[in-house]
Amino acid sequence: MNILVYFEERNGQVRKPSLEAVSAAKALGASMINAVIVGSNTSAALSDAVKTSGVSKIFTVDHAWFSEYSSKAAAKAVAEVAKSSGAEVVIVPATGRGKDIAPRVAVRLGAGYVPDVTAFAANGGSIHATHPVYAGKANVQVEVTTPVKVFSTRPNLWAAPKDASAVASIEAATGSLTDMDFADRTKELALSQGKLDVAEADIIVTGGRGMKGPEHWGLIEGLATSMHAATGASRAVVDAGWRPHSEQVGQTGKTVSPSLYVAVGVSGAIQHLAGMSSSKTIVAINKDANAPIFAVADYGIVGDAFEVLPALTEAVSKIKSH
Amino acid sequence: MNIFVCVSHVPDTTTKVNVAGDGKNIDPAGVKFILNPYDEFAVEEALRLKEKNGGEVTVVSVGAESSKEGMRQALAMGADKGILIKADKSDAFSVASLLADTLKTVNADIILLGKQSIDFDGMEIAPMLAELMDLPAATVVVSLAIDGGKATVEKEVEGGKEKIELAMPCIVAAQKGLNEPRYPSLPNIMKAKQKPIQEVAATAPAARTAVVKMDKPEKKRVGKILQADGNAAGAASELARLLHEEAKVI
Ligand SMILES: Cc1cc2nc3c(=O)[nH]c(=O)nc-3n(C[C@H](O)[C@H](O)[C@H](O)COP(=O)(O)OP(=O)(O)OC[C@H]3O[C@@H](n4cnc5c(N)ncnc54)[C@H](O)[C@@H]3O)c2cc1C
């Protein structure tokens, strides 16, 4: 199986979910994995980690106009490389940008597409891709029935490849992009300053309405700092104006799959679970032993957050300082 | 402005999911259907564009007769008319193709949709439609401004927001935060019943994906729940130990 992985570039770096997609490709038993990167100066992003990520070849599509990223143009470039390299499967990370280009690539290739895949299983000659539906209340296993197949993979579920011995060769791909393809142009990327984003973080401490008010967020931040975690919020908290929407986890917020998710004073409504139930380890702190969040928790404390949080922060700091 | 909004009729968010006998779908028994919540943001934005620039808002849906219920809700909010493309929804590609076939014929200035429907949560239709119509598109949009034949949107991405300029016509998929959808007033609900919904008979192109099976996520959680019971410090240090030594996550 010949698999092409989309390497998403941001600020001169290939983002981690793309490297995780290489691991997903390996798990599918690829005989050949290539990558494609598009940008206005792609060579900047070709670090050692990227070159030794385990792909054979990295196709670079350089076009000055990509200094203003365009999903329409990027999709065309990826589809062209997929065709010319004979890819049977294209894997795009299910990031903000990836979720825009993957369906476009699928249409261009006449391929079936499964979004936001959380697991793959080989079934004879075919691939069964698992995709959570109904806000995570169910999973579907989907088979793509076209010869070429496109998937997007949920970030944080596959480990990024490490220490591959082979170094990828680099090949400039000359696509047929014209200025007409850049009908959408990204003028600016405004990142929230100095804070770890929930969508990227490996550990998240989320506060819910049980925190009673924004004035108590210092307790959430204290635990987050001790764990090097990002802070998240439930919708109730965001709607109340205690925290910005960018921190909201859930169906109408962000989907996260960190290695550790700590939910404090969060009831665990289905729309919240939709955003975090694929986290590897889930911890719940809630004074109501019957809160639905405990049904998905690996560990938990039934207790008052105002007593538990300071004690837990101290206990974690103690472990970290050893 | 000639404004189009694609809407879908989906099971209510709070629906309890039971897998049907075929093992591939949910059991529809007792399930209440609603206008897809993200589509409400799209309809609201369309109405605001019309209020500002004049023109007409048409809602478009692919589905069976029952899809009209969701469309009526959009009409009650203030949309002018509807087009129902009567066909089976087999997968996202077939829906996007059916929408594209109709929307290619109507000279839309802008096409709005919700970022995803809350049944399949796929976020596929807007980009597929855009590709099929060769149009620029933006998804997960939390603000939209139109000026001089150009749309400027803010899209939520990891760590922040992107500001994207789109040549018009274009496709914009709404995220919560774009606006506050209005509630239909009683007179408007009555009026909506009289608004025209044109029916288009269509055959869906062959699906490109097939559901093999549907199941509920297995809960294989460790489930070690400690009681603070007046000893928060004890429970906290035990939890910290478990996270460090057993789960190895801190
Ligand atoms: C279409 C739709 C989309 C939605 N999208 C989202 C979404 O993206 N994200 C999201 O989070 N929600 C979403 N919701 C809302 C969701 O249904 C819940 O309303 C919300 O998650 C509740 O937030 P909460 O758990 O913080 O608050 P509550 O439900 O009020 O729960 C507070 C919890 O805190 C506990 N508590 C109180 N005091 C203490 C204390 N001192 N110590 C410890 N625990 C305490 C309580 O026992 C309770 O369990 C959505 C809803 C709809 C209809």
Side-chain angles (χ1 to χ4, degrees), chain A residues 1-41:
Chain A
M1 205 188 315
N2 177 334
I3 301 186
L4 181 71
V5 174
Y6 175 61
F7 274 4
E8 179 180 331
E9 181 261 4
R10 184 193 274 183
N11 295 336
Q13 280 191 327
V14 170
R15 302 186 63 237
K16 194 164 134 262
S18 293
L19 301 179
E20 294 163 9
V22 175
S23 298
K26 279 188 192 152
L28 272 174
S31 52
M32 155 97 86
I33 308 175
N34 297 316
V36 56
I37 175 169
V38 301
S40 56
N41 175 18

Side-chain angles (χ1 to χ4, degrees), chain B residues 137-194:
Chain B
T139 61
V140 205
V141 166
V142 291
S143 84
L144 166 67
I146 290 178
D147 185 25
K150 198 173 72 189
T152 304
V153 305
E154 283 184 305
K155 168 192 170 77
E156 280 183 357
V157 293
E158 303 81 359
K161 282 179 194 159
E162 286 181 342
K163 189 167 143 198
I164 307 173
E165 248 177 44
L166 309 162
M168 293 187 62
C170 64
I171 296 179
V172 171
Q175 161 71 323
K176 173 184 175 262
L178 178 59
N179 52 43
E180 247 347 293
R182 67 196 66 185
Y183 287 106
S185 65
L186 198 57
N188 283 344
I189 293 172
M190 300 314 287
K191 256 192 246 163
K193 295 191 174 140
Q194 310 304 323

Side-chain angles (χ1 to χ4, degrees), chain A residues 10 15 71-72 75 95-97 99-100 103-104 106-108 110-113 115 128 131-146 183-192 197 199-200 203 227 235 239 245 248 251-254 259-260 270-271 277 279-283 294-303 307-308 311-312 315-316 319-320, chain B residues 11-17 19 24 26 38 41 93 115-116 118-124 127-128 130-132 134-139 142 155-167 175-176 207-230 232-233 235-237 239-244 246-247 249-250:
Chain A
R10 184 193 274 183
R15 302 186 63 237
S71 57
K72 187 169 181 285
T95 57
R97 283 185 176 179
K99 283 185 188 165
D100 276 356
R104 282 183 176 268
V107 169
R108 282 195 167 264
Y113 166 58
H128 289 180
H131 164 51
V133 293
Y134 294 98
K137 283 180 277 186
N139 288 316
V140 281
Q141 270 192 22
V142 183
E143 185 182 353
V144 178
T145 49
T146 50
D184 57 316
R185 291 200 241 150
T186 305
K187 292 290 179 182
E188 173 187 318
L189 170 63
L191 296 176
S192 9
D197 187 78
E200 315 253 80
I203 302 181
M227 293 178 160
R235 171 163 167 186
D239 284 355
H245 183 250
Q248 184 180 318
Q251 194 183 5
T252 38
K254 286 173 178 155
S259 60
L260 173 60
I270 186 72
Q271 299 88 357
S277 53
S279 303
K280 271 163 229 126
T281 298
I282 296 173
V283 172
F294 283 120
V296 300
D298 297 290
Y299 301 97
I301 296 181
V302 178
E307 293 166 17
V308 173
L312 185 58
V316 172
I319 287 173
K320 289 279 186 184
Chain B
D12 191 1
T13 350
T14 50
T15 292
K16 248 191 132 50
V17 167
V19 179
K24 296 182 183 185
I26 64 162
Y38 295 109
F41 300 114
F93 172 74
K115 70 162 179 159
Q116 69 195 58
I118 60 165
D119 45 9
F120 267 65
D121 292 328
M123 247 191 234
E124 306 168 71
M128 283 187 177
E131 197 60 43
L132 290 162
D134 194 25
L135 291 178
T139 61
V142 291
K155 168 192 170 77
E156 280 183 357
V157 293
E158 303 81 359
K161 282 179 194 159
E162 286 181 342
K163 189 167 143 198
I164 307 173
E165 248 177 44
L166 309 162
Q175 161 71 323
K176 173 184 175 262
R208 293 176 170 182
T209 60
V211 170
V212 182
K213 97 175 180 214
M214 176 184 276
D215 51 24
K216 301 228 228 169
E218 41 181 310
K219 289 195 192 105
K220 47 175 191 319
R221 295 286 173 191
V222 181
K224 278 194 188 160
I225 310 299
L226 312 163
Q227 305 292 326
D229 277 342
S237 63
L239 175 61
R241 187 192 68 76
L242 287 167
L243 293 179
H244 182 58
E246 189 174 278
V249 282
I250 58 167

Side-chain angles (χ1 to χ4, degrees), chain A residues 187-268:
Chain A
K187 292 290 179 182
E188 173 187 318
L189 170 63
L191 296 176
S192 9
Q193 287 302 313
K195 285 199 81 173
L196 210 48
D197 187 78
V198 278
E200 315 253 80
D202 193 41
I203 302 181
I204 299 168
V205 180
T206 286
R209 188 149 49 191
M211 291 307 295
K212 306 281 194 283
E215 66 278 16
H216 299 129
W217 233 255
L219 291 172
I220 295 288
E221 273 154 7
L223 181 62
T225 305
S226 76
M227 293 178 160
H228 306 296
T231 57
S234 70
R235 171 163 167 186
V237 160
V238 172
D239 284 355
W242 302 352
R243 304 300 301 170
H245 183 250
S246 57
E247 289 185 13
Q248 184 180 318
V249 173
Q251 194 183 5
T252 38
K254 286 173 178 155
T255 304
V256 299
S257 307
S259 60
L260 173 60
Y261 189 87
V262 185
V264 189
V266 174
S267 57

